[in-house]
Amino acid sequence: MQLPKNNIYTVSRLNGEIRQLLEGQLGKIWLNGEISNFSAPGSGHWYLTLKDSRSQIRCAMFRGRNQSVTFRPANGQQVLVRGTISVYEPRGDYQLLIESMLPAGDGLLAQQYEALKMQLAAQGLFAQDTKRPLPDKIQRIGVITSPTGAAIRDVLHVLARRDPSIEVVIYPAQVQGEAATQTIIQALNIANRRLEVDVLLLTRGGGSLEDLWCFNSEALAHAIYNSALPVVSAVGHEVDTTIADYVADVRAPTPSAGAELLSKDKGNKLQKLAVAASRLQTGWDHYHLKSERRLNLLQHRLTLQDPVRTLQQLAQGFDEMQLRLEGALARRLSQLSLRQQKLAGRLQQQSPRHRLEAGQSRLGYLSRNLNEAMMHRLEKASEKLQHQAGMLGSVSPLGTLSRGYSITSDADGQVLDDAAKVRVGDTLRTRLKQGELQSTVTKVL
């Protein structure tokens, strides 16, 4: 087999080129999934796995990025993340480097909002040169809103105070819920068919991103953009911004501000200033969107050559080694602890204390048995002695004496049992039951 002369890769080169290929082709993506295997080493970096019912991918979020996350991730939590696909070269694993993280519910709406805003900006719907100027003299205003909401009351109150001569035509529409977008578009179409007003005011009160979601519709954006009548958007509070605000010819921060913008009084100069400020803001937003797109492109190009990525790879490798070392130490300590417990058990079993205790217990047992045996022997000996003493007593001379008999012995102490052994003049001793008698033989019979 002949080996190729060129294009022989090393593993490091292959992993490096795969990383550049993935980062260059996919760029930044949004990903929705469930967190598992979350860990946060002492370095401050986060490592986790995002999974769905069939697949999973490893992720890393470095300290400089995760400091902006407003919640603490937990296993089992659904999140929406934005990041770049990359390769951890030392292990050859592809992973997602997370730059931002949101809870799944809020995050999906925010993602859809940002994606639609970028899409419509690229189509030119926010361009400043397409904005229509407001009429110099406004006699009739068309208001697209809920006829029972707080916004229409605020608008009518401001118009009555500032310029009662202005007529108001209300085009009823739902301003919240699934059917709201379609009713708003229908009201816009009706107003454009009738052409009975000088300007349209699209308005409603404040609310959450979900409450105002009907104003973030692509269909509504095109309906506003194609309107023959100038449109003023006054949706929500000052901090609320919708797609309708970007497409409309003029944006007012609140319903009341929209009514003031369309009515003249002593503060007419303020009205013109507000219009100019609104257009300036719209122009700035458009410029900001273009700049953001260019910045994202430049950041992506910079990412491919960013030395920080190498440092991140090294940091990730260090964290993995630290986690593996901690796991190995924990397992080793567990093994040593188990071995120590086994040795302690064996030592406990071989301890002389137990043998001494057992010997002492046996000694006590034998001592009790010995005492019992001795007592038994003594009792038996005592009984035998008493029996033999009784038998001895039955044949003892003392017993004979106690029955009235006596014992006579000569001077040498020999008991006399024959009178022929005695001579006249011998001294005899006679022992009675009580005391003794001494006598002299005077006659032998």
Side-chain angles (χ1 to χ4, degrees), residues 422-426 440-444:
V422 179
R423 293 181 180 89
V424 176
D426 289 343
T440 303
V441 178
T442 58
K443 184 178 180 181
V444 177

Side-chain angles (χ1 to χ4, degrees), residues 90-263:
R91 200 171 50 235
D93 292 342
Y94 89 96
Q95 61 184 0
L96 181 69
L97 301 181
I98 300 175
E99 297 180 0
S100 62
M101 180 183 296
L102 294 169
D106 295 341
L108 286 174
L109 290 180
Q111 178 196 12
Q112 294 172 16
Y113 174 81
E114 292 295 332
L116 180 58
K117 187 170 70 172
M118 297 290 288
Q119 174 187 337
L120 297 178
Q123 294 175 7
L125 269 66
F126 303 162
Q128 187 62 34
D129 54 7
T130 64
K131 304 297 182 185
R132 289 154 296 199
L134 296 180
D136 293 333
K137 187 176 181 180
I138 297 176
Q139 295 179 336
R140 183 177 289 179
I141 298 174
V143 182
I144 301 176
T145 189
S146 170
T148 60
I152 188 62
R153 293 195 297 271
D154 293 342
V155 169
L156 294 176
H157 176 73
V158 171
L159 293 177
R161 173 173 55 83
R162 290 171 58 85
D163 192 351
S165 65
I166 295 179
E167 298 180 22
V168 177
V169 177
I170 300 176
Y171 299 97
Q174 296 182 31
V175 290
Q176 184 173 334
E178 295 182 0
T181 299
Q182 188 59 37
T183 62
I184 294 172
I185 294 174
Q186 290 174 357
L188 270 168
N189 293 335
I190 291 172
N192 278 277
R193 284 200 306 268
R194 294 178 181 176
L195 295 177
E196 58 189 346
V197 296
D198 301 312
V199 65
L200 291 174
L201 177 62
L202 176 61
T203 186
R204 70 149 279 168
S208 65
L209 179 60
E210 186 176 1
D211 294 337
L212 303 178
W213 193 247
C214 60
F215 294 93
N216 294 320
S217 164
E218 181 179 3
L220 178 59
H222 284 284
I224 295 173
Y225 183 79
N226 296 323
S227 173
L229 296 169
V231 178
V232 176
S233 177
V235 177
H237 299 305
E238 189 168 356
V239 295
D240 300 321
T241 305
T242 66
I243 297 297
D245 294 330
Y246 286 108
V247 183
D249 300 294
V250 178
R251 175 185 181 265
T254 63
S256 297
E260 291 181 358
L261 186 66
L262 297 175
S263 59

